[in-house]
Amino acid sequence: MSDRYTGTLDILKSDIERYPELNEAVQAEFYHEGKLWNNDNWDDDDTVAHFVDSEACYGHFDEVETVCRKLRVPYDGWSAAYFEDSLSRHYRPDLKEDDEFIFNGDDEKTYPDWYLKSLVDDIDTNDPANMPKIGKIFLKFLQGIPEIRSLEEYEGYVHTERKGV
């Protein structure tokens, strides 16, 4: 089984220009001898830089994405299917979650089963008397899922750097 899959990464062009560290990471990942090596989806008039790599490690761009999270720069990523389904990743610095929001191929937000189980770790889920309490926990969880705004809505957003990323 290969570890190389098509991946895309969208970042606001203004953020790439604003942050030298991000610009360096983007240059190292997507450019060769000063030229974008895959510009099939590049639009000079778009405010969003759209990068594509058909041979990305698991369809991700770990170094660029890590720099984005460190600098609190929003991004969208997409990875071709390598387990069961393709995944979309969205990082938004103004939301409470520290990492990306993951969506499946049907554009439905997904959470790993271990995370959902952790919501009720301290409750005996085999006791029917606890079902109302478990229901309230999951209802509160579902109501707290934030809306993911488009990257364009972050144009001009003032990012503050997080420490320790």
Side-chain angles (χ1 to χ4, degrees):
M1 179 181 229
S2 173
D3 65 349
R4 302 292 170 176
Y5 300 91
T6 299
T8 68
L9 190 64
D10 295 348
I11 307 170
L12 287 167
K13 291 178 181 177
S14 60
D15 284 334
I16 296 170
E17 294 169 4
R18 183 178 303 128
Y19 298 105
E21 184 179 0
L22 178 57
N23 191 315
E24 286 178 28
V26 165
Q27 291 286 328
E29 183 72 42
F30 300 108
Y31 285 75
H32 179 67
E33 296 180 2
K35 290 186 175 187
L36 185 63
W37 57 266
N38 183 343
N39 62 1
D40 289 344
N41 295 308
W42 188 265
D43 181 354
D44 288 331
D45 296 326
D46 197 346
T47 59
V48 175
H50 183 74
F51 302 106
V52 180
D53 185 350
S54 61
E55 295 290 322
C57 186
Y58 292 103
H60 293 253
F61 307 97
D62 289 336
E63 290 184 31
V64 177
E65 293 170 28
T66 298
V67 170
C68 284
R69 287 189 301 273
K70 174 184 175 190
L71 297 172
R72 300 185 52 78
V73 170
Y75 64 83
D76 292 338
W78 175 85
S79 304
Y82 54 88
F83 287 115
E84 294 179 18
D85 205 353
S86 60
L87 294 176
S88 297
R89 304 175 316 283
H90 305 276
Y91 171 74
R92 299 297 185 265
D94 57 331
L95 299 179
K96 292 180 182 178
E97 291 191 26
D98 277 345
D99 210 352
E100 304 162 317
F101 291 89
I102 307 293
F103 291 78
N104 65 18
D106 294 326
D107 208 28
E108 298 168 336
K109 185 154 180 17
T110 62
Y111 289 89
D113 59 349
W114 62 264
Y115 179 80
L116 296 174
K117 289 176 184 174
S118 74
L119 297 174
V120 293
D121 267 351
D122 59 341
I123 300 172
D124 180 3
T125 56
N126 293 319
D127 183 349
N130 288 331
M131 289 303 125
K133 184 177 184 179
I134 293 169
K136 287 180 184 177
I137 290 169
F138 280 108
L139 181 60
K140 182 179 178 183
F141 165 76
L142 291 172
Q143 291 171 334
I145 296 174
E147 179 182 337
I148 305 298
R149 297 182 350 223
S150 72
L151 280 178
E152 290 84 357
E153 292 182 52
Y154 285 85
E155 187 67 53
Y157 178 81
V158 178
H159 312 291
T160 55
E161 188 170 334
R162 281 191 306 180
K163 304 295 183 208
V165 178

